[in-house]
Amino acid sequence: MKLPEEYYIVGIDLGGTNMKIGVLDQNEKRVSFVSAPTLVEQGPEDATRRMAENVHKALEEVNIPMSKVMRIGLCSAGTMDIPGGMLVRPSNLPGWNFFPIRDKLAEYAQLPVTFANDATAAAFAEYWIGAGQQEQGLILLTLGTGVGCGIILNGHGWDGTHSHGGESGHNLIDISENARWCKCGQRGHLEAYASATGVANRTVEMIEAELKSSLADRVRSASRRDAVPRMVYEEAEKGDALAIKIIEETARYLAYGIVSLMHTVDPSCILLGGAMTFGGSASPIGRMFLERVKEESCKRVFLHLAERIRFDYAQLGSDAGYIGAAGLARQEWMETN
């Protein structure tokens, strides 16, 4: 169906700490934005009600009438039943098990809602208006506390049969009996090696082995282990050999997971995003990391794939979730009207 000349779509990225709500116009431009605390402990019903209130707040701030809003897109992390619009057992939203969040939000907001996995939404954002425009096979890997993965095939998010498609942070990359434990309770998963948590754990172990590094004093005095990956990046920029080694090893571990994805999905583009990109494209260390990921991946796949695939950094940062959710809502409206 032809889109109206003027319309708006709302995207919501629901996280364990905050909910981000953005209103986009027909030119894919953000015209309003609201962030509010999720307050997980107050339960899903309360959060969903406040989510709807903040949607209306975002619209009122720019005088957009409800009649001009096409649809809401909502994305979240955790296990979910996407066709059923339900959170299943979201680890970042404890106690919100089996909550019908899509339909509850539609009820409170009085607007139809499209529900998506946050990694899929972020990948769709990059496909729609970011670093992966026009790529018909796109994979986005987000490197943070865990390793998220969104897959876009022929312009559509790939969720799998049970809404668990793209859980590639749990690709098996180490089959040894003493492989690292993943936070999901299994050994040898990609996330245990190439996430920020994995980098922090590996760094601490190397320092405890008394390997010489400018990292040592900083890491030993750090009050929070989640600050360690940033320290690794900063010391690598100064030329510290151990820090550079840790980043190079992280690239190799990440490549092990990417090889399985390349042979399974056959994408045209792989993007890296998230909080742990070691400075990204703006930094020599970030550029080295990306190039090493590409090298380590391409030397392990069919030559035909290695010669044709593009590796790059994502562009949209922390805005990707709600932008992609809005884009998926727009796509569903077009396909159902």
Side-chain angles (χ1 to χ4, degrees), residues 1-4 70 330-337:
M1 182 176 178
K2 184 180 178 180
L3 291 165
M70 182 184 286
R330 174 184 179 272
Q331 183 180 69
E332 184 168 358
W333 187 91
M334 292 175 66
E335 292 177 349
T336 57
N337 285 275

Side-chain angles (χ1 to χ4, degrees), residues 42-95:
Q42 293 182 196
E45 192 83 37
D46 174 78
T48 307
R49 176 185 53 77
R50 288 185 296 103
M51 204 183 306
E53 289 172 356
N54 280 290
V55 167
H56 292 296
K57 177 183 177 183
L59 296 172
E60 289 167 1
E61 286 183 353
V62 286
N63 298 313
I64 296 173
M66 292 282 286
S67 60
K68 295 287 187 180
V69 180
M70 182 184 286
R71 199 174 182 94
I72 294 174
L74 168 66
C75 71
S76 177
T79 54
M80 56 186 62
D81 173 358
I82 292 173
M86 183 179 296
L87 296 168
V88 178
R89 294 184 182 90
S91 59
N92 65 329
L93 302 168

Side-chain angles (χ1 to χ4, degrees), residues 285-303:
I285 295 297
R287 294 192 293 273
M288 177 273 288
F289 176 64
L290 181 69
E291 186 60 31
R292 190 56 58 90
V293 170
K294 179 180 179 180
E295 289 175 1
E296 295 287 351
S297 300
C298 288
K299 72 184 183 183
R300 293 177 169 85
V301 299
F302 293 138
L303 181 61

Side-chain angles (χ1 to χ4, degrees), residues 250-273:
T250 303
R252 188 176 75 251
Y253 288 132
L254 187 58
Y256 294 161
I258 287 173
V259 167
S260 295
L261 285 166
M262 288 176 70
H263 282 144
T264 303
V265 177
D266 186 17
S268 59
C269 176
I270 290 178
L271 301 178
L272 303 184

